[in-house]
Amino acid sequence: MMVQVLMAFIGSLGFSILLHTKKEWLWLAAIGGAVTWCLYLICANNMNSYFVCNLVAAIGASLYGELMAAIFKTAPVIFRVPAMVPLIPGGSLYYTLSAALAKDNIAFAEKGLETVITAFAISVGIVAVNIVCEPFRKRA
Amino acid sequence: MLSNQELSAILDVGEAMLTYGGEVSRIEQTVSKMCMAYGAERVDAFSITSSMIVTVRLPGEEVLTQTCRIREWAIDYGRLAELDELAGEIAEKHLNPKEIGKRLEKAKTTSEMSGIYTYVGSVLAAGGFAMFFGGSFRDGISAAILALVFTLIDRKVNHAWLNRIAYSFITSFVSGMIAIGMVEMGVGEHLDKIMIGGIMLVIPGIALANAVRDLLLGDVITGLLRLCESLLIAAGVAAGFAAALFLGRGWL
C-alpha cells in the first residue's frame, strides 16, 4: 500500500511536469496526488462502494486545489488536476477494452460501468467543491 | 473608461487563459472582473472552449462587444499561473493596452522547463502508474521505456495535420506494440500493467472529468463539446490498443 501511495506521488509528479506546472509548485502538486490516494484507500477500507470512494477522494483533491490556490493566489486547476490523476480510471478502461476483445460481455459491461461511474464520481466531487467554494473566492 | 482597445487586450488575456487550460466559468468571471475594473456598468462574458464573446455596457449609452476564437488547446499551467497573476494586476492597476500586450507576450513565451523534462514527466507518469496499478518494477521500467519512445515520436514527428482522433489511434497502436515488444524481450512481466501505464499518457481522462464537470455546472455546450471530443479520442485510443493487442496476440 505504501508503494502504491509512493507511485501515486511519482505518477502525479510526472503529470505535473507534463502540464508545465511551475517548478516551485511541482512537489506540492505531486503531494496532492499522494494525499488523494491516501484518502481513497482510507475510504475503501471502510466501505465497498467505489463510487463513494472516488467521490470522497475527488472532493479531497478539489479541496486541496482550492487550498493551494488560496495560499499561492492562483487558479485551483493547477493543483487540482495533478492531485486527481491517481483517480483517473486508466485501469478500468484497459480492462474494459480487454474484455471487449476477449468477447467477454459480462466483464465488458462491468468494467465499462466502473470506468463511467468513476469518471462521474470524480466530476461530481469537482462540482460539489466548486459550488461550495464559489462564494468565498476573492480573486476571480 | 473602457475602450475597444482595452477590451481587445482583456479578451486576449482571456483567450490565452483558455488556451492554456483554464476553467471556463472562472475565466468568464476573470474577464468580467477586469472589465468592471475599467468602469463598466455591466459585463456579459460567455465562453465555450473554442470561442469567447464579451459585451460590455458602459455608463452612458455606449455598448462594446467583441468575440475571439480559441484555435488551439495546449495545457501549460506555468503560463496559466502567469496569466492569472496578470489578470489580477490588470484589475488592480488598470494597465494600458500596450502594457498588457507586452506582459501577455511574456506570459505566452514563458517556458518552465526545457524539452528534456517532457521525457522525464512522461517516464514518471507511465512508469509510476504501471506500478501503481500493480505492476512490478520491471513493468515500471518497460512502461518508462514506452514513455520515452512515445514522447520521442510525439515531439519529432509532425502531426499537426492529423486530426486528434487519428493521432490518438496511431500513438496508442504504437504504444501497444512497444508494450508487447517489452514483454517479448523479457523486460516486462505483465503486459496489462505496462499497457495501462501507456494508456495513462494518452487517455483524455482529465478532459473527460472536466467535460462532465462543465455539464454539471450548467455549461452545457462546453460540456457536450468536450465530452464528445473526449469520447472520440477515447475511442481512438481503444481502437489503437485493440489493434495492437489483436496483432500481438497473434504473435504471443
Side-chain angles (χ1 to χ4, degrees), chain B residues 61-77:
Chain B
E61 302 265 322
E62 214 185 342
V63 178
L64 301 176
T65 294
Q66 287 191 28
T67 84
C68 82
R69 191 78 167 66
I70 294 111
R71 292 178 194 285
E72 57 169 351
W73 196 48
I75 303 189
D76 188 319
Y77 287 156

Side-chain angles (χ1 to χ4, degrees), chain A residues 3-140:
Chain A
V3 177
Q4 228 186 11
V5 174
L6 179 65
M7 288 304 136
F9 174 81
I10 292 182
S12 292
L13 182 62
F15 272 98
S16 303
I17 296 176
L18 286 176
L19 294 167
H20 299 263
T21 307
K22 280 175 107 151
K23 274 198 206 106
E24 50 264 31
W25 293 342
L26 276 177
W27 303 101
L28 281 172
I31 286 176
V35 167
T36 305
W37 190 248
C38 281
L39 205 54
Y40 179 89
L41 287 175
I42 293 172
C43 256
N45 235 348
N46 293 315
M47 61 185 85
N48 246 333
S49 160
Y50 60 82
F51 174 77
V52 176
C53 293
N54 277 302
L55 178 62
V56 171
I59 289 177
S62 296
L63 283 174
Y64 184 81
E66 297 284 340
L67 181 67
M68 291 295 131
I71 294 176
F72 293 101
K73 301 196 177 23
T74 187
V77 225
I78 297 177
F79 289 97
R80 188 212 303 142
V81 171
M84 292 269 179
V85 172
L87 299 176
I88 294 176
S92 313
L93 182 64
Y94 176 83
Y95 290 119
T96 308
L97 297 180
S98 208
L101 266 188
K103 303 213 170 57
D104 185 344
N105 289 332
I106 300 175
F108 172 74
E110 184 190 324
K111 285 296 170 181
L113 199 59
E114 191 180 306
T115 308
V116 170
I117 289 183
T118 303
F120 185 68
I122 295 174
S123 310
V124 172
I126 299 176
V127 170
V129 172
N130 196 316
I131 292 178
V132 168
C133 287
E134 193 57 43
F136 297 102
R137 288 209 191 132
K138 281 192 285 181
R139 283 175 73 92

Side-chain angles (χ1 to χ4, degrees), chain B:
Chain B
M1 200 44 56
L2 187 69
S3 69
N4 253 324
Q5 276 173 312
E6 280 156 350
L7 184 57
S8 272
I10 290 175
L11 211 53
D12 284 340
V13 175
E15 176 199 346
M17 288 177 86
L18 281 165
T19 307
Y20 294 127
E23 257 182 277
V24 166
S25 40
R26 183 186 159 93
I27 292 174
E28 284 172 0
Q29 283 168 18
T30 304
V31 167
S32 293
K33 197 171 172 210
M34 287 192 275
C35 293
M36 295 294 281
Y38 283 83
E41 224 169 49
R42 171 178 162 156
V43 184
D44 290 295
F46 175 76
S47 177
I48 58 176
T49 39
S50 44
S51 171
M52 182 163 203
I53 174 169
V54 184
T55 293
V56 182
R57 255 185 245 177
L58 302 170
E61 302 265 322
E62 214 185 342
V63 178
L64 301 176
T65 294
Q66 287 191 28
T67 84
C68 82
R69 191 78 167 66
I70 294 111
R71 292 178 194 285
E72 57 169 351
W73 196 48
I75 303 189
D76 188 319
Y77 287 156
R79 294 182 186 176
L80 183 63
E82 293 269 336
L83 289 165
D84 195 76
E85 210 181 294
L86 175 58
E89 273 192 56
I90 292 175
E92 268 168 60
K93 301 183 193 163
H94 295 204
L95 303 175
N96 67 54
K98 254 205 205 100
E99 181 63 37
I100 296 178
K102 259 197 316 193
R103 293 284 302 271
L104 188 60
E105 263 318 297
K106 194 165 140 252
K108 278 162 88 164
T109 49
T110 305
S111 190
E112 270 306 305
M113 35 195 92
S114 59
I116 205 160
Y117 278 101
T118 318
Y119 290 96
V120 174
S122 55
V123 161
L124 288 175
F129 278 109
M131 293 177 67
F132 174 80
F133 283 104
S136 65
F137 185 66
R138 278 165 56 192
D139 295 328
I141 299 289
S142 310
I145 296 175
L146 193 164
L148 281 174
V149 179
F150 171 83
T151 308
L152 187 70
I153 296 176
D154 188 54
R155 289 174 66 84
K156 299 299 179 194
V157 176
N158 179 21
H159 52 84
W161 57 273
L162 263 174
N163 76 58
R164 298 248 278 265
I165 301 158
Y167 181 66
S168 306
F169 174 80
I170 294 175
T171 47
S172 304
F173 177 72
V174 171
S175 301
M177 295 307 287
I178 295 173
I180 293 175
M182 286 291 131
V183 174
E184 275 296 280
M185 289 199 293
V187 181
E189 286 177 275
H190 308 107
L191 181 62
D192 50 351
K193 309 299 179 193
I194 303 172
M195 280 197 167
I196 291 175
I199 267 191
M200 291 298 278
L201 290 178
V202 276
I203 51 162
I206 294 165
L208 195 61
N210 281 340
V212 183
R213 178 205 71 204
D214 289 333
L215 274 172
L216 291 174
L217 275 177
D219 278 318
V220 179
I221 301 178
T222 305
L224 282 176
L225 272 177
R226 279 203 174 135
L227 187 66
C228 289
E229 197 176 41
S230 302
L231 288 176
L232 285 172
I233 293 180
V237 171
F241 273 101
L245 272 174
F246 185 70
L247 272 184
R249 287 234 169 98
W251 292 336
L252 279 173

